Amino acid sequence: MSLTILLSLALDVVVGGLLVATIVYALRLNRQIAQLRDSRGEMEALVREFSEATAQADAGVKGMRKAAAESGEALQYLIGRADKMREELEQMTQAADALAARLEGAAGRARANAAPSEPARDTRPEPRDLPRAEALRGSAAAGGMAGLAGGA
């Protein structure tokens, strides 16, 4: 056997070994590509669900923005009304304070002008008028209680 035949045979064995290794690697790669294709459908479903969830979240955010804007407008309206009422109450309080000061002044002048020698009048009813006064008090109390019950 000559050296060239031996060398040729050795190179054929090496090339054959490399071809076997290439075939094994190609089979592995083919299986991985098949798995990738199979998982592509799952990935598309996942992307579709994610897209739907994103759309729902976007709609929810828009709804919350709209509700916040509406409640902000309503709150602003109520604040405006409250400010107007506060101003009116301040005016009423100032008018009541002025009226109270005038009444105090008038009461003081009336006391000063009252004759000290004049005895104070007794406003109690005479004993003979007592049953009538009691009846009037009773009807007034009953009317007041009916007014309170009807108003409540």
Side-chain angles (χ1 to χ4, degrees):
M1 285 207 159
S2 82
L3 188 60
T4 51
I5 294 178
L6 216 49
L7 188 58
S8 170
L9 186 61
L11 282 177
D12 285 343
V13 170
V14 169
V15 169
L18 288 175
L19 282 174
V20 168
T22 303
I23 290 172
V24 169
Y25 183 74
L27 289 174
R28 267 199 207 158
L29 190 59
N30 190 29
R31 274 191 235 133
Q32 289 178 351
I33 290 174
Q35 287 176 349
L36 185 61
R37 277 191 215 128
D38 291 343
S39 65
R40 182 177 178 191
E42 293 174 5
M43 183 64 103
E44 286 176 356
L46 182 65
V47 169
R48 197 174 314 114
E49 289 175 9
F50 181 72
S51 176
E52 291 171 2
T54 303
Q56 287 177 350
D58 188 42
V61 168
K62 286 179 183 177
M64 287 193 299
R65 282 186 182 154
K66 182 181 176 185
E70 289 173 356
S71 64
E73 291 171 2
L75 183 61
Q76 193 63 35
Y77 171 75
L78 291 174
I79 288 172
R81 280 188 54 203
D83 282 341
K84 288 178 185 175
M85 291 176 129
R86 181 186 49 83
E87 291 171 3
E88 289 176 10
L89 285 173
E90 284 178 359
Q91 290 174 355
M92 287 181 193
T93 302
Q94 289 172 357
D97 286 344
L99 182 60
R102 283 178 42 206
L103 286 174
E104 284 179 12
R109 284 191 303 274
R111 278 189 221 114
N113 290 339
S117 63
E118 185 179 308
R121 283 186 49 199
D122 189 10
T123 58
R124 291 181 289 174
E126 293 292 323
R128 60 186 167 93
D129 294 336
L130 196 55
R132 183 172 171 231
E134 290 291 326
L136 287 175
R137 265 194 230 134
S139 67
M145 294 303 263
L148 286 176

